[in-house]
Amino acid sequence: GPSTYTPEPQARDTSGKYDPSLIAPGTPLRIKGLGSRADLNGRHATALEWDAQAERLAVIVRSLGFGEEARVKLKPSNFVLEWATPDQPDPLTGGPCPCCHETQMHTPVGSQQNAGLQFCCGKAVCHGCLIKVSLGPRLQRDRCPLCGEDTSDTSDTNLIRQLKRHAHPGGAPTCLYNLAAYYDHGHHGLRRDCTEARRLYELAAKQGHRRAAHCLGCSHRDGEGGPVSLAEAAHWFRVSAELGHVPAQCNLGLAYQRGQGVQVDAEEAFKWLSMAARAGDELARRALGVSGR
């Protein structure tokens, strides 16, 4: 659920409708709603060029694993344009590694990632310790270094089985969030189910998972997995924003700027948008320019 943005003015026709044929090469976007390539849903991509004959946007998708990339053509309904937002640590899985007690862990996928989530117990271990375990005796390498569960089965079926053990109130919030995201995008063998994703996002959000709270806000804003409720969206954007999630700070500021789920409030809009802008959120910077502040 990253922040989404209104395309540049030249990407709109005279009626104000969005014209995907005018998207500039290099524009960042996120893929959604694919059926035959559901594995790409939720992934970030970069626009290449508009194919007028096919009425599709050619994009390149990176980070598929081991430097792989894919070039695909998307209908306008299968992507949403994005602004860049900073790569933030997850406070629920950050802090010192519980094994070596030295490495400060960063679990979100990105250039700073140095730790991995153990889906059996919902806790994180730094990559250095995971490598040491993998090079040790077989009895140790096939066990979680934290809870001791057998980790030899790396299939999607077992991954989902482990995550579903947490799919209840009080379950590990990081596991709830990951399972919700897999339902949201139809990953790891799951059929896309936005209703279940919304339910799981809420369970994680109620335990203080700020990314889950932001995704839940996006779900209510966009009507994915249930009816549209701009008031609920604004509520969950605030929950996430107060926990320090930059995209949520931006979306909360936009809600105040546009009167979506809250009363228009220029001061609150400026407060949250400037907070996100200082952290590096491009959409917030643009919105501040539009507001003239």
Side-chain angles (χ1 to χ4, degrees):
S3 303
T4 57
Y5 75 102
T6 301
E8 296 291 339
Q10 62 266 28
R12 290 177 173 268
D13 62 24
T14 54
S15 69
K17 294 182 179 179
Y18 171 56
D19 184 354
S21 69
L22 297 178
I23 295 174
T27 299
L29 54 91
R30 178 169 54 89
I31 300 173
K32 66 172 188 174
L34 290 179
S36 60
R37 289 301 307 273
D39 59 304
L40 298 181
N41 290 332
R43 295 194 180 278
H44 301 277
T46 303
L48 295 175
E49 60 183 357
W50 175 255
D51 185 331
Q53 183 175 1
E55 295 188 340
R56 302 286 194 277
L57 180 68
V59 305
I60 185 168
V61 190
R62 295 188 175 86
S63 301
L64 299 182
F66 302 103
E68 295 179 2
E69 61 183 32
R71 293 172 183 259
V72 295
K73 292 185 178 181
L74 303 172
K75 296 179 182 179
S77 60
N78 290 132
F79 63 85
V80 60
L81 303 179
E82 295 185 327
W83 285 103
T85 193
D87 181 20
Q88 292 183 273
D90 182 348
L92 295 180
T93 54
C97 170
C99 292
C100 66
H101 306 290
E102 296 177 356
T103 302
Q104 292 294 319
M105 298 187 297
H106 185 94
T107 54
V109 175
S111 60
Q112 300 181 57
Q113 184 182 20
N114 67 355
L117 184 68
Q118 301 298 102
F119 291 119
C120 46
C121 56
K123 299 177 182 178
V125 179
C126 79
H127 286 166
C129 288
L130 289 176
I131 291 173
K132 289 180 181 178
V133 170
S134 69
L135 297 176
R138 179 170 296 277
L139 289 177
Q140 292 182 14
R141 80 178 74 149
D142 289 338
R143 297 283 176 182
C144 171
L146 299 177
C147 70
E149 179 159 333
D150 186 349
T151 58
S152 59
D153 185 352
T154 59
S155 66
D156 282 347
T157 299
N158 190 54
L159 166 65
I160 298 302
R161 180 189 65 80
Q162 290 181 321
L163 289 177
K164 283 185 174 180
R165 293 190 314 186
H166 300 275
H168 56 81
T174 49
C175 291
L176 287 165
Y177 169 76
N178 278 278
L179 184 58
Y182 297 158
Y183 273 116
D184 203 357
H185 303 302
H187 287 171
H188 294 286
L190 290 175
R191 178 173 295 182
R192 191 168 189 240
D193 186 341
C194 293
T195 301
E196 181 66 358
R198 180 185 282 198
R199 183 185 78 86
L200 295 167
Y201 281 139
E202 184 168 351
L203 290 177
K206 286 181 175 178
Q207 295 189 70
H209 196 291
R210 61 188 187 185
R211 294 179 70 188
H214 179 243
C215 290
L216 182 58
C218 292
S219 172
H220 284 288
R221 179 195 63 192
D222 301 335
E224 294 188 340
V228 170
S229 174
L230 296 182
E232 280 292 301
H235 165 72
W236 288 109
F237 286 151
R238 176 174 288 279
V239 169
S240 182
E242 290 179 346
L243 289 170
H245 194 51
V246 173
Q249 293 169 350
C250 177
N251 276 326
L252 181 59
L254 291 174
Y256 277 113
Q257 189 181 73
R258 300 168 179 172
Q260 295 178 335
V262 291
Q263 293 293 320
V264 171
D265 189 324
E267 293 303 317
E268 280 292 295
F270 178 73
K271 167 188 169 182
W272 290 107
L273 288 172
S274 59
M275 193 179 299
R278 286 195 299 271
D281 191 281
E282 292 184 59
L283 175 56
R285 291 173 178 171
R286 178 178 174 81
L288 285 172
V290 171
S291 70
R293 296 296 296 269

